Amino acid sequence: MAASKELQAEPRPLAPQPVAIADEAERKRGMEQLKFRATMLLVASSVVFVIARWLEARYPWLGYVRATAEASMVGGLADWFAVTALFRRPMGLPIPHTAIIPSRKDRLGRTIAAFVQKNFLTREVIESRLRNLKVGEKLARWLSQPENARTIARQAASALASGAQMLRDDDVRAIIDKSVEERIRQTKVAPIAAKVLAVVAESNQHQELLNEAVGVLARALQQNRDLIRQRVDQESPWWVPTAVDDKIYRKIMQGIERTLIAVQNDPKHPLRARFDQALRTFIENLQQSSATADRAEAIKRDFLEAESVRRFSASLWSDAKDALIKFADQPDEVAREGGAVEKAVTTFGEAIANDPDLVRQLDSAVTDVATFLVTRYQQDVAEFIVHTVEGWDAKVTADRVELAIGRDLQYIRINGTLVGALAGLVIYTLSKLAP
């Protein structure tokens, strides 16, 4: 309970306040100077009014000066009140509808949010703006510049390496094992093998494979003559003379060699026909025989459970990660002029830039994404503006707004004083001219 009270007593963190305006000190000096000038002009009008009013009975022509100064004073005073009422209470008096910005800050935030949502975050505005920007064409041209492609290559290498280092090796290996193994287990081996072998047989490539097999077998015989001779001697009875073993060995070797040479040199050798028939029978069994298909699946399962396969699967991520880190540790090599990554990026950019259809498709894709995001999050943006403004301090907000537009408002005071003077002079003159 005590802990909960302590938590409740903790002060809430202050919301981010309006960002200070650039060259704030300079703006403030300029605003104070204009404010002083506007005030002095108002004071001067008041002084002239008092003097003219005092001497008007002696000098009737001062009526024009008095009317001018009077209207100038009224106009300047009214504009001073209006400008001051935006940010604070004039002279601290609790006059209704004053200190508008600090007292109505939250409502102002809601108004701004609604204005932005209805006039900026709309599909029509975004589509029109993006069409005029020609994003696809500009992006394609940007990508086709070699210096930009090198920047992309360097950043991509660093990002990939950083991402690889953040991932846990065991988690990635588990994902690789699971995804690869599940995919292989779900795939039937027999139909795929049958299709591959059918393509090989159709193009007569299996005979080429037989030639290679015959060549390999011939080389194996030559390289293992001593072993074969030793094997013949071990398998023959003890009472058979060595000369007979030698003769048997030579007969075996000569027979095998003649057969291999004959198969290799004769495209129509009976063994080739039997091999062709055996292959086609095997293809039919893969397609039609459930026993053959089951045997293929059993071989696949044994293959997946082999330790060497698991070691290979585990090494995939380690090798890829090492390659990415090595790739990122050589930024100059990755992003060197004319490098593979640079060429790929520039080629991609040039391909888009030279194909109007691709440019239109890219523009359409960018527009679709932008309009989707606007449609999906426009209400969230509006709420974000409302909550942000609600978190601002009222006085700080008023000061920031005044600093941003204060110079223009002081010009309004000056103009109001001068326009008032001119209006007073005109009205007084017309009243004198009237019969």
Side-chain angles (χ1 to χ4, degrees), residues 54-80:
W54 181 45
L55 297 175
E56 183 180 359
R58 184 182 303 177
Y59 305 103
W61 61 269
L62 286 177
Y64 290 93
V65 177
R66 187 262 311 161
T68 301
E70 183 179 12
S72 175
M73 182 178 62
V74 172
L77 188 61
D79 285 340
W80 166 82

Side-chain angles (χ1 to χ4, degrees), residues 116-425:
V116 171
Q117 181 180 0
K118 295 179 180 179
N119 294 277
F120 292 92
L121 302 180
T122 63
R123 177 183 292 271
E124 294 77 12
V125 172
I126 297 300
E127 288 181 347
S128 175
R129 183 58 177 164
L130 289 177
R131 279 196 297 268
N132 293 333
L133 287 176
K134 298 181 179 179
V135 177
E137 181 179 345
K138 291 182 178 179
L139 179 60
R141 290 178 179 175
W142 189 86
L143 290 174
S144 61
Q145 298 297 320
E147 58 273 17
N148 297 330
R150 284 194 291 272
T151 301
I152 292 175
R154 187 181 296 109
Q155 296 301 326
S158 300
L160 289 173
S162 300
Q165 290 176 315
M166 291 176 62
L167 297 174
R168 293 180 66 249
D169 293 345
D170 292 341
D171 293 341
V172 177
R173 291 192 187 103
I175 292 174
I176 293 175
D177 288 343
K178 184 177 180 181
S179 60
V180 173
E181 184 175 342
E182 285 184 354
R183 187 61 179 269
I184 295 177
R185 288 187 182 278
Q186 293 173 1
T187 303
K188 297 297 183 181
V189 175
I192 297 176
K195 291 180 180 179
V196 172
L197 292 176
V199 172
V200 172
E202 187 67 25
S203 58
N204 211 36
Q205 294 295 318
H206 62 295
Q207 295 294 343
E208 295 295 330
L209 294 176
L210 180 59
N211 288 338
E212 291 296 327
V214 169
V216 170
L217 184 56
R219 288 191 294 273
L221 286 173
Q222 293 297 328
Q223 294 170 2
N224 295 278
R225 281 180 172 274
D226 294 338
L227 181 61
I228 296 173
R229 175 65 184 83
Q230 182 181 359
R231 190 66 177 174
V232 170
D233 185 62
Q234 291 175 352
E235 293 297 330
S236 65
W238 62 269
W239 43 268
V240 175
T242 302
V244 176
D245 288 341
D246 290 339
K247 189 173 183 179
I248 295 173
Y249 160 72
R250 285 193 297 272
K251 287 289 187 181
I252 293 174
M253 294 297 295
Q254 290 173 1
I256 295 175
E257 288 174 352
R258 281 197 300 270
T259 302
L260 293 177
I261 293 172
V263 171
Q264 198 166 30
N265 294 334
D266 185 4
K268 297 183 178 181
H269 194 280
L271 185 60
R272 288 185 179 274
R274 288 197 295 271
F275 176 66
D276 184 78
Q277 182 60 40
L279 179 62
R280 297 186 184 282
T281 301
F282 182 63
I283 293 173
E284 292 178 2
N285 290 336
L286 286 173
Q287 294 173 333
Q288 302 175 6
S289 173
S290 58
T292 304
D294 293 341
R295 179 56 182 164
E297 290 299 311
I299 295 173
K300 181 186 72 175
R301 288 193 295 271
D302 293 341
F303 172 79
L304 292 175
E305 293 171 1
E307 184 63 27
S308 59
V309 175
R310 295 191 177 278
R311 287 197 301 269
F312 171 75
S313 176
S315 68
L316 286 176
W317 169 243
S318 299
D319 294 343
K321 182 178 179 181
D322 293 341
L324 287 173
I325 295 174
K326 183 179 179 181
F327 193 58
D329 288 340
Q330 301 174 347
D332 294 335
E333 181 66 20
V334 172
R336 65 184 175 86
E337 186 175 356
V341 179
E342 177 189 328
K343 288 182 179 179
V345 175
T346 54
T347 302
F348 177 70
E350 291 171 356
I352 295 177
N354 296 329
D355 191 331
D357 289 336
L358 283 178
V359 172
R360 284 193 293 270
Q361 291 177 17
L362 183 57
D363 281 336
S364 177
V366 172
T367 302
D368 289 343
V369 172
T371 52
F372 167 77
L373 293 175
V374 166
T375 304
R376 172 64 179 82
Y377 295 106
Q378 61 177 186
Q379 183 62 37
D380 296 333
V381 173
E383 292 177 359
F384 174 76
I385 294 175
V386 171
H387 294 322
T388 301
V389 174
E390 287 178 350
W392 288 351
D393 179 80
K395 185 177 184 306
V396 173
T397 303
D399 292 343
R400 290 279 184 260
V401 174
E402 183 179 14
L403 196 59
I405 62 176
R407 287 174 58 87
D408 296 323
L409 294 178
Q410 300 310 314
Y411 277 119
I412 290 176
R413 290 181 57 192
I414 294 173
N415 293 336
T417 304
L418 298 177
V419 171
L422 180 60
L425 177 60

Side-chain angles (χ1 to χ4, degrees), residues 49-123:
F49 168 75
V50 171
I51 294 174
R53 184 72 181 85
W54 181 45
L55 297 175
E56 183 180 359
R58 184 182 303 177
Y59 305 103
W61 61 269
L62 286 177
Y64 290 93
V65 177
R66 187 262 311 161
T68 301
E70 183 179 12
S72 175
M73 182 178 62
V74 172
L77 188 61
D79 285 340
W80 166 82
F81 181 88
V83 170
T84 303
L86 285 174
F87 306 103
R88 59 189 64 84
R89 297 188 183 279
M91 302 177 67
L93 300 175
I95 302 173
H97 304 292
T98 58
I100 294 173
I101 290 179
S103 62
R104 291 168 174 77
K105 170 180 62 68
D106 295 346
R107 190 171 71 181
L108 180 63
R110 290 191 292 271
T111 302
I112 294 174
F115 180 79
V116 171
Q117 181 180 0
K118 295 179 180 179
N119 294 277
F120 292 92
L121 302 180
T122 63
R123 177 183 292 271

Side-chain angles (χ1 to χ4, degrees), residues 17-36:
Q17 298 302 303
V19 179
I21 301 173
D23 63 357
E24 181 174 348
E26 184 64 26
R27 280 176 171 268
K28 191 170 185 178
R29 280 195 299 271
M31 185 183 70
E32 292 298 334
Q33 290 175 357
L34 284 174
K35 184 183 294 187
F36 178 77

